[in-house]
């Protein structure tokens, strides 16, 4: 017997429709008590949308609604579920929810519907988490990766690796139990080969950078000394006048960020205060912030003024360039005072000629940026930090097993490491998950999901 939980499943605020959702043994009875169908007869037909009125205890209409009953087990939670589709906005759904609570439902905790789907075995933990990732996805690429996870990409990978580890455990057991039949040296060779390939497969799916970009978006930061045209380039990249542009050095003081989508990946583009020594305390804070933004960026655009010889500040920036850098030789519409050779003497980074004023080279820069932030997750790639952490634990346990075997330890020493790896992998799909792990996962969910 489960108690019946209730929540508004749609986002707060004005909208066309708001949905109140009920799940549990009492869902059907509750729906019968608060919903008067225009035509449908009781008992309600399962999975049939009905038109009617939601009513209070005195029979007064709370809202004109559509309602549906989904009897277990063919429902999201595998319990009886009822949904009442009210008018959007604050009042109607709240009144309907309140009525459900009056009739004995309990207000659902965050993620409690999905938690029930998990506890009732409809989804494993990785699939349950995919639901929340999908809701939080900030880009098409993130949504696609979460969808694959929801469809079992991660779960299938975990199961495949776990099955192969279980086979290897059997091999170890056979070689220790029947030393005459299983040659230890051959078993050790097969073990190290198989483990090495499993470690590689896990590593491929733990693309830490790609996963972070999917979760949070990629960051692209414009850097350069004052007046080289960073803010102009920001505006050109966004095709809008977002940042203030003047010919006065030090115009941009704070870090200014704006979102855009490149190839389906969410990108946060930041314009910064120019890098220079300054006595102005406000500008100095801006310069510090700019430096920090550059440190954590995925791509750094070092902007130079092509019409002025390189300064010491330019040279210092170029010397600090790394594989995240694209050099933007801006103001290419003016007479050139900086040559490619001047830049190449300081950094091998890719250099593009650009004019933020005329727009020349901006498309080429956008294309290069799209390439740099692109994430092409392999099937079953891990997105959630929790999953990557556990998969890396598993890989490191397998590395320990390989070293132990190579060092000539008896094979059953490696079995301990394999068991550790299996436990980490099981954590991803939530097999034998403890209450506290489950609590932690679902506490990040929204109410009504
Ligand atoms: N001719 C030319 N002038 C530019 C170009 N980009 C920016 N500027 C000018 O350079 C000055 C400084 O630009 P701004 O974007 O504020 O530079 P920031 O200090 O690096 O943000 C302004 O007067 C801009 O109009 C360009 O591509 N060509
Ligand atoms: Mg600026």
């Amino acid at each position: 017997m489960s108690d019946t939980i209730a929540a508004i499943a749609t986002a707060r605020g004005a909208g066309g429709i708001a949905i109140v959702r009920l799940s549990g043994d009492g869902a059907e009875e509750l729906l019968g008590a608060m919903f008067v169908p225009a035509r449908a007869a009781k008992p309600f037909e399962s999975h049939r949308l009905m038109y009617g009125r939601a009513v209070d205890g005195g029979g007064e209409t709370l809202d004109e609604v559509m309602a549906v009953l989904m009897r277990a087990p063919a429902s999201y939670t595998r319990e009886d579920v009822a949904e009442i589709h009210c008018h959007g906005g604050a009042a109607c759904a709240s009144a309907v929810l309140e009525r459900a609570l009056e009739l004995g439902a309990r207000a659902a905790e965050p993620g409690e519907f999905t938690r029930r789907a998990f506890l009732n075995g409809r989804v494993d933990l990785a699939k349950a988490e995919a639901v929340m990732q999908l809701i939080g996805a900030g880009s098409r690429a993130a949504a696609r990766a979460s969808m694959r996870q929801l469809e079992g990409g991660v779960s299938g990978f975990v199961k495949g690796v776990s099955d192969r580890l279980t086979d290897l455990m059997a091999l170890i057991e056979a070689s220790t139990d029947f030393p005459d039949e299983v040659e230890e040296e051959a078993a050790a060779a097969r073990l190290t080969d198989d483990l090495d390939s499993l470690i590689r497969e896990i590593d491929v799916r733990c693309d830490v950078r790609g996963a972070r970009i999917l979760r949070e978006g990629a960051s692209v930061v414009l850097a350069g000394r004052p007046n080289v045209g960073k803010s102009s380039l920001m505006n050109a990249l966004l095709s809008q006048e977002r940042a203030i542009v003047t010919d006065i050095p030090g115009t941009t003081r704070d870090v200014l960020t704006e979102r855009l989508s490149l190839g389906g990946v969410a990108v946060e583009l930041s314009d910064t205060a120019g890098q220079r020594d300054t006595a102005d305390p406000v500008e100095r804070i801006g310069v510090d912030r700019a430096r920090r933004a550059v440190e954590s960026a995925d791509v750094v655009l070092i902007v130079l003024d092509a019409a002025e010889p390189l300064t010491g500040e330019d040279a210092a920036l170029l010397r600090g360039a790394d594989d995240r850098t694209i050099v933007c030789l801006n103001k290419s519409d003016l007479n050139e005072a900086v040559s490619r050779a001047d830049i190449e003497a300081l950094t091998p980074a890719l250099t593009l000629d650009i004019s933020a004023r005329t727009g020349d080279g901006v498309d080429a820069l956008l294309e290069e940026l799209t390439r740099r932030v692109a994430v092409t997750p392999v099937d079953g790639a891990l997105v959630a930090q929790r999953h990557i952490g556990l998969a890396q634990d598993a890989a490191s346990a397998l590395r320990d097993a390989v070293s132990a075997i190579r060092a000539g330890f008896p094979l059953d020493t490696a079995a301990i490491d394999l068991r550790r790896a299996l436990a980490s992998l099981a954590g991803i799909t939530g097999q034998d998950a403890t209450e506290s792990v489950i609590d932690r996962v679902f506490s990040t969910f929204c109410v009504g999901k």
Side-chain angles (χ1 to χ4, degrees), residues 151 208 237 289 352 414:
E151 288 171 346
V208 175
L237 288 169
R289 286 190 181 170
L352 299 174

Side-chain angles (χ1 to χ4, degrees), residues 42-55:
K42 282 187 201 172
F44 296 135
E45 195 183 331
S46 188
H47 294 81
R48 158 83 79 178
L49 201 58
M50 301 168 282
Y51 169 70
R53 297 178 300 125
V55 293

Side-chain angles (χ1 to χ4, degrees), residues 225-233 244-247 250-252 271-272 330-334 354-358:
R225 70 179 160 82
N227 244 16
V228 292
K230 296 178 298 300
S231 298
S232 304
L233 189 52
I244 299 173
V245 172
T246 73
D247 53 6
T251 300
T252 309
D271 182 21
T272 62
N330 188 40
K331 309 197 188 181
S332 64
D333 53 294
L334 300 178
I354 289 171
S355 169
R357 175 157 296 170
T358 66

Side-chain angles (χ1 to χ4, degrees), residues 132-143:
M132 204 56 219
Q133 278 169 223
L134 204 50
I135 291 171
S139 66
R140 189 69 201 102

Side-chain angles (χ1 to χ4, degrees), residues 18-19 48 54 79-80 103 180 182 233 255 282 294 341 346 348 350 357 364 367 386 426 429 444:
I19 298 176
R48 158 83 79 178
E79 303 172 334
D80 285 351
L103 286 165
D180 301 337
V182 182
L233 189 52
V255 176
V282 179
V294 166
L346 296 163
L350 174 72
R357 175 157 296 170
E367 271 167 38
R386 194 184 78 82
T429 45
T444 63

